Amino acid sequence: MDANIELKVKKVLAGLGINKKEKILVALSGGKDSSVTAYLLKKFGYNIEGFHIDLGMGDYSKNCLNAVKQLCEELEIKLHLYNIKEEMGGSMCYIRTSIQTSSGKGLKNCAICGVIKKWIMNKEARNLKVSKIATGHNLDDETQTFLMNMMKGSPQLSANSGAVTRNVKDRKFISRIKPLFYIAEEDIREYSKAKKLPVVYDKCPCALDSYRIQMRKFVNTLTAKEKENVMKNFEKLFPRIQKLKSEEKLNYCKICGEPSRNKICRMCELVKK
Ligand code: SF4
Ligand SMILES: [Zn+2]
């Protein structure tokens, strides 16, 4: 099992053509997926540093921070910390609730949190002069997202996904890689336990997205092979999916200057700076 996972990840990484000297920032949450991502990149000799956003969500965040610190010590990698309370004036729960109250649109917790985390990550990664960000997205996450987009009738929303983000190249946009793209969640859990990695296995207390939860339940009924097949078919359909999306032109947000498809980026739209 271990050798199988390692082989698959090696293959994905080889396909991304990464130079082992270039610096990769691993987005560490304290969970199993990002911890295994860092462990494997280090094991395969890549030049990595860790990045963790302390979301200030009580004991859960404290446990995640401790796990990330321990992992970076064990892997002997540098850790960069971003404390959301200090940098943005409130915990993720506080920021999210303010947005939900003022927008009145019933925005989902993870949708808001995801936009904010991506915005922070891109900006900080650029400041740290890394060439790529590695995240722990796994086969289950990717299968859920692809199927959700298909069922919403919007396959074009998957047009930038893949083991490497396929957005338009831009000097301000740091591309993201997903080394665990073809590894099933259950296998990652077992691997993290076998390697005794310091990991928080509890679910995030704010993970509320009813559609994704429904899709997760369905994807959990599939075998690893079936999930792999869904994503292999996604790869086959990819050229056609790309044709569905409107031509992508990257602008810079008029408020914060970050790369954005629109004049104002999603982060600034949410926080109404
Ligand atoms: S599960 Fe959702 S709310 Fe929790 S950290 Fe992840 S994106 Fe944020
Ligand atoms: Zn902006």
Side-chain angles (χ1 to χ4, degrees):
M1 167 62 74
D2 287 8
N4 191 19
I5 290 182
E6 292 176 8
L7 211 69
K8 279 189 185 170
V9 173
K10 243 186 198 169
K11 207 171 147 194
V12 166
L13 290 168
L16 301 179
I18 307 167
N19 176 334
K20 288 207 171 164
K21 284 194 183 139
E22 64 182 283
K23 207 197 293 176
I24 301 174
L25 196 64
V26 186
L28 295 167
S29 66
K32 61 187 185 327
D33 306 302
S34 55
S35 305
V36 167
T37 303
Y39 176 85
L40 287 172
L41 283 167
K42 178 75 182 181
K43 181 176 170 120
F44 298 150
Y46 289 93
N47 178 14
I48 61 165
E49 292 184 358
F51 179 69
H52 175 70
I53 305 175
D54 181 350
L55 299 172
M57 302 195 298
D59 284 347
Y60 174 73
S61 288
K62 281 183 197 147
N63 295 340
C64 289
L65 177 62
N66 288 337
V68 166
K69 282 184 177 167
Q70 201 186 323
L71 179 81
C72 291
E73 254 178 53
E74 286 177 16
L75 297 182
E76 297 178 353
I77 60 171
K78 192 169 175 180
L79 171 63
H80 303 273
L81 291 172
Y82 184 101
N83 185 309
I84 205 163
K85 277 190 186 165
E86 284 167 15
E87 303 285 342
M88 299 182 77
S91 68
M92 179 59 84
C93 306
Y94 173 81
I95 298 171
R96 200 192 56 228
T97 311
S98 325
I99 292 171
Q100 283 164 330
T101 313
S102 61
S103 78
K105 283 187 193 156
L107 295 168
K108 307 250 169 56
N109 288 358
C110 293
I112 298 175
C113 183
V115 168
I116 297 177
K117 286 194 299 187
K118 268 190 204 162
W119 183 89
I120 295 171
M121 228 145 48
N122 191 64
K123 207 165 162 217
E124 295 301 310
R126 204 176 54 240
N127 290 341
L128 291 168
K129 300 193 175 6
V130 304
S131 62
K132 288 182 178 58
I133 299 168
T135 65
H137 290 90
N138 61 39
L139 180 62
D140 290 60
D141 302 323
E142 297 301 319
T143 309
Q144 288 158 20
T145 306
F146 176 57
L147 291 178
M148 278 163 68
N149 289 340
M150 291 291 272
M151 287 186 190
K152 277 188 220 158
S154 311
Q156 71 279 10
L157 294 177
S158 290
N160 290 333
S161 60
V164 60
T165 42
R166 305 186 234 212
N167 299 51
V168 172
K169 299 255 177 296
D170 181 87
R171 68 185 169 87
K172 280 187 139 187
F173 180 78
I174 311 298
S175 64
R176 293 189 290 270
I177 59 167
K178 299 170 183 170
L180 305 183
F181 195 82
Y182 282 112
I183 313 294
E185 181 161 17
E186 208 32 56
D187 294 342
I188 297 169
R189 185 187 306 276
E190 274 180 36
Y191 186 88
S192 68
K193 286 187 174 163
K195 299 296 171 195
K196 298 190 172 50
L197 299 181
V199 161
V200 174
Y201 289 99
D202 299 338
K203 285 254 171 281
C204 165
C206 301
L208 296 173
D209 177 340
S210 49
Y211 193 32
R212 186 171 283 274
I213 291 170
Q214 231 176 306
M215 189 55 77
R216 181 174 297 134
K217 279 189 190 152
F218 167 67
V219 169
N220 283 348
T221 65
L222 305 178
T223 62
K225 189 75 207 149
E226 286 168 329
K227 289 181 248 187
E228 224 173 271
N229 285 342
V230 172
M231 293 320 288
K232 284 194 173 145
N233 279 313
F234 159 69
E235 290 290 343
K236 275 189 208 154
L237 290 172
F238 190 73
R240 293 181 67 182
I241 291 175
Q242 273 222 312
K243 281 189 193 148
L244 296 174
K245 73 169 185 178
S246 44
E247 203 194 324
E248 195 171 61
K249 208 174 135 260
L250 222 51
N251 301 300
Y252 296 120
C253 170
K254 288 217 154 116
I255 299 175
C256 69
E258 286 298 298
S260 163
R261 278 187 212 135
N262 303 311
K263 286 185 183 158
I264 310 284
C265 75
R266 287 172 72 201
M267 166 74 171
C268 290
E269 258 178 24
L270 284 178
V271 298
K272 300 231 174 8
K273 281 182 166 180

